[in-house]
């Protein structure tokens, strides 16, 4: 492992203030805005604006993964072919009662759009760094606008490659240019959350989307620290300890949490410095306790203003899952003292419909998803749902489940 150049000394230490803010809020019930020494007053004031009367409509989203946007095996990889492919996705989703598409535009430190920071994704042309000769995100924004659908750009912030995907990184991949931005693990290659320049790269990539595309939101998925292995960022942590002193330093676990929180807080501020019409959201794991294993401080993100506009935990459990039921997981999230500026959405597991997942409990009936939708929307803290993923809408095996879900959604629309 080469010696790292950058340490998150100032920003990570500053996130102690964030933890104190979260604690103060939960203890006193006050609406405390997160404040750090990296936050200038003008930006902070801008972030306080009440989101310019954001739409209060129910969120009914569908995740569209890079796999569902894949053009590699298509005989025709042209813009017109991609446009037809995505228009079918958009029309099918709208006809099913959904109003928002969450499209994966940066799956592997690459881009499905013209980027100043990331190479073109292999998903479009078959080879990372090779231009498909069109801008897929621009196309998707145009189609969503035509069909009156909202669109959120879904970003995997840290992943460079996993399980040999993509097989070859392009010469203009940020990690190839500077391998000190990331680390290799047994599962793949990831940007290092402790690296200040890696965080800047992620945020710069987000801001160019907000500036250049007519998106309604930016969403991070549930991948944060890729490992608990101490070798992953031991040099950065040692440099941090040397700088602040052994008596004044955070534990390695708290320090890692601070590194992730710094990224989340700074991303939120960067987005709202540009526009208060673009939401920033995160879709973490549904089991709250599991998030701690990847240093995702989901409770602070919910409780404190200044991290996210919405959070959408992946409640991918059946109603009778022996390990954790949908309702128990939902109740654990809804019981949090969620800040009034943070919306709670619920992620539903369309991909599990009529499968033997959760010890076969999805096979007990064909209205699991519709029941979960109703349970979620009866909860006063829930503002909508997102379905993973689009493929479920075309899966014959899931057709009965999806039909019941879409009927429930449409019936809800008619009542409201």
């Amino acid at each position: 492992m080469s010696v790292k150049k950058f340490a998150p000394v100032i920003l990570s230490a500053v996130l102690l203030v964030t933890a104190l803010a979260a604690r103060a809020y939960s203890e006193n019930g006050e609406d405390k805005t997160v404040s750090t020494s990296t936050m200038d007053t003008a930006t902070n004031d801008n972030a306080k604006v009440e989101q310019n009367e954001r739409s209060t409509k129910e969120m009914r989203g569908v995740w569209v993964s890079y796999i569902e946007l894949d053009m590699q095996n298509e005989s025709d990889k042209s813009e017109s072919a991609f446009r037809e492919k995505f228009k079918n996705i958009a029309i099918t989703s709208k006809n099913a009662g959904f109003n928002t598409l969450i499209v994966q535009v940066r799956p592997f430190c690459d881009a499905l759009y013209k980027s100043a920071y990331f190479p073109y994704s292999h998903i479009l042309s078959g080879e990372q760094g090779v231009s498909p000769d069109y801008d897929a995100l621009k196309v998707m924004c145009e189609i969503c606008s035509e069909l009156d659908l909202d669109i959120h750009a879904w970003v995997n912030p840290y992943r460079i490659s996993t399980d040999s995907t993509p097989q070859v990184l392009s010469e203009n991949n940020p990690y190839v240019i500077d391998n000190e931005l990331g680390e290799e693990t047994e599962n793949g290659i990831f940007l290092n959350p402790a690296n200040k320049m890696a965080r800047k790269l992620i945020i710069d990539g987000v801001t160019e989307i907000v500036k250049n595309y007519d998106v309604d939101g930016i969403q991070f998925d549930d991948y944060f620290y890729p490992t608990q292995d101490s070798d992953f960022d031991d040099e950065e942590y040692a440099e941090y300890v040397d700088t602040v002193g052994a008596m004044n330093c955070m534990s390695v676990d708290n320090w890692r949490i601070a590194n992730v929180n710094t990224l989340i807080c700074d991303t939120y501020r960067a987005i709202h410095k540009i526009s208060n019409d673009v939401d920033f959201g995160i879709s973490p794991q549904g089991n709250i306790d599991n998030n701690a294993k990847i240093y995702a401080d989901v409770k602070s993100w919910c409780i404190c203003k200044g991290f996210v506009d919405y959070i959408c935990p992946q409640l991918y459990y059946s109603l009778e899952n022996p390990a954790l039921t949908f309702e128990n997981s939902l109740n654990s999230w809804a019981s949090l003292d969620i800040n009034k500026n943070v919306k709670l959405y619920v992620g539903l597991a369309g991909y599990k419909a009529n499968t033997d997942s959760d010890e076969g409990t999805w096979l007990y009936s064909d209205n699991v998803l519709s029941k979960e939708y109703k349970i979620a929307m009866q909860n006063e803290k829930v503002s909508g749902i997102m379905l993973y993923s689009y493929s479920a809408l075309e899966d014959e095996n899931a057709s009965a489940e999806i039909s019941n879900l879409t009927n429930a959604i449409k019936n809800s629309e008619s009542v409201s």
Side-chain angles (χ1 to χ4, degrees):
M1 184 185 298
S2 60
V3 176
K4 304 298 187 293
K5 297 179 181 178
F6 305 105
V9 176
I10 297 176
L11 290 180
S12 62
V14 148
L15 260 292
L16 280 174
V17 177
T18 298
L20 292 175
R23 185 180 306 164
Y25 180 90
S26 61
E27 291 177 356
N28 300 328
E30 298 175 2
D31 183 12
K32 294 184 180 290
T33 302
V34 174
S35 176
T36 76
S37 59
T38 62
M39 188 184 299
D40 61 272
T41 303
T43 302
N44 193 23
D45 288 344
N46 192 40
K48 289 180 180 178
V49 177
E50 291 300 324
Q51 311 304 321
N52 290 339
E53 298 181 354
R54 290 183 185 281
S55 172
T56 57
K57 69 180 181 182
E58 176 185 314
M59 165 61 73
R60 300 189 301 277
V62 177
W63 277 293
V64 184
S65 76
Y66 74 89
I67 297 172
E68 291 151 340
L69 299 172
D70 197 342
M71 298 294 290
Q72 293 181 93
N73 297 321
E74 303 288 345
S75 57
D76 183 358
K77 296 181 175 63
S78 67
E79 177 178 348
S80 60
F82 179 83
R83 187 178 290 274
E84 181 180 356
K85 182 188 190 89
F86 187 75
K87 192 162 189 176
N88 178 66
I89 290 172
I91 291 174
T92 301
S93 298
K94 180 163 185 171
N95 288 343
F98 295 93
N99 58 29
T100 304
L101 298 183
I102 304 94
V103 297
Q104 193 167 18
V105 299
R106 203 160 83 226
F108 295 102
C109 208
D110 53 11
L112 274 73
Y113 55 92
K114 186 176 182 180
S115 173
Y117 307 99
F118 300 96
Y120 279 107
S121 176
H122 69 285
I123 297 305
L124 299 176
S125 67
E127 182 179 346
Q128 189 178 86
V130 174
S131 172
D133 296 324
Y134 64 91
D135 188 321
L137 180 53
K138 182 180 178 182
V139 169
M140 291 189 284
C141 288
E142 289 174 355
I143 291 173
C144 284
S145 178
E146 292 169 4
L147 295 174
D148 194 27
L149 291 168
D150 284 353
I151 181 170
H152 290 208
W154 164 14
V155 170
N156 187 302
Y158 296 116
R159 185 170 63 189
I160 299 171
S161 70
T162 54
D163 300 325
S164 300
T165 303
Q167 292 184 341
V168 179
L169 301 179
S170 66
E171 62 182 13
N172 62 334
N173 184 289
Y175 176 72
V176 174
I177 295 172
D178 180 6
N179 63 16
E180 291 191 347
L181 292 172
E183 293 288 345
E184 295 188 29
T185 74
E186 61 181 12
N187 299 319
I189 309 173
F190 302 87
L191 293 176
N192 187 345
N195 188 300
K196 179 180 178 181
M197 296 308 294
R199 290 198 297 268
K200 183 179 185 300
L201 172 67
I202 295 166
I203 295 169
D204 285 344
V206 167
T207 56
E208 75 172 349
I209 295 175
V210 177
K211 288 178 179 178
N212 298 330
Y213 298 91
D214 187 20
V215 297
D216 301 283
I218 298 289
Q219 184 180 121
F220 284 176
D221 54 23
D222 60 326
Y223 296 94
F224 294 98
Y225 258 84
T227 180
Q228 292 180 302
D229 190 338
S230 61
D231 291 338
F232 182 80
D233 52 9
D234 56 347
E235 294 181 18
E236 289 87 354
Y237 182 66
E239 187 171 350
Y240 159 71
V241 173
D242 287 343
T243 301
V244 303
M247 297 297 294
N248 301 314
C249 70
M250 290 181 276
S251 69
V252 65
D253 288 339
N254 286 339
W255 175 77
R256 284 179 167 182
I257 290 170
N259 291 330
V260 174
N261 276 354
T262 298
L263 173 68
I264 303 306
C265 183
D266 286 355
T267 301
Y268 174 90
R269 291 169 45 240
I271 290 171
H272 288 292
K273 188 173 183 179
I274 300 168
S275 173
N276 280 313
D277 293 324
V278 177
D279 283 336
F280 176 47
I282 297 177
S283 180
Q285 296 184 29
N287 187 324
I288 288 183
D289 294 336
N290 284 347
N291 287 286
K293 298 176 183 178
I294 53 175
Y295 307 98
D297 187 13
V298 295
K299 292 182 181 179
S300 289
W301 303 345
C302 290
I303 292 171
C304 294
K305 182 178 179 180
F307 282 115
V308 297
D309 297 297
Y310 72 80
I311 195 154
C312 183
Q314 300 169 20
L315 306 191
Y316 297 163
Y317 317 109
S318 71
L319 293 167
E320 300 179 64
N321 179 24
L324 179 63
T325 69
F326 173 85
E327 286 188 86
N328 285 342
S329 183
L330 173 60
N331 290 338
S332 68
W333 287 92
S335 67
L336 298 177
D337 194 6
I338 299 174
N339 190 282
K340 64 181 180 180
N341 295 285
V342 178
K343 292 180 181 177
L344 174 63
Y345 302 140
V346 171
L348 301 181
Y351 72 100
K352 286 187 176 180
N354 198 31
T355 70
D356 60 1
S357 297
D358 298 347
E359 300 190 24
T361 52
W362 285 87
L363 298 173
Y364 291 177
S365 72
D366 59 9
N367 60 357
V368 178
L369 291 172
S370 63
K371 286 182 178 179
E372 292 183 342
Y373 168 75
K374 293 173 184 176
I375 290 169
M377 295 316 301
Q378 286 168 0
N379 190 301
E380 61 180 9
K381 288 193 175 181
V382 175
S383 298
I385 58 97
M386 295 182 180
L387 181 75
Y388 187 84
S389 66
Y390 171 75
S391 293
L393 300 185
E394 295 188 333
D395 184 359
E396 286 297 321
N397 190 54
S399 59
E401 275 277 8
I402 296 301
S403 177
N404 288 330
L405 171 62
T406 56
N407 286 336
I409 290 173
K410 291 175 181 178
N411 288 338
S412 175
E413 277 187 307
S414 62
V415 170
S416 58

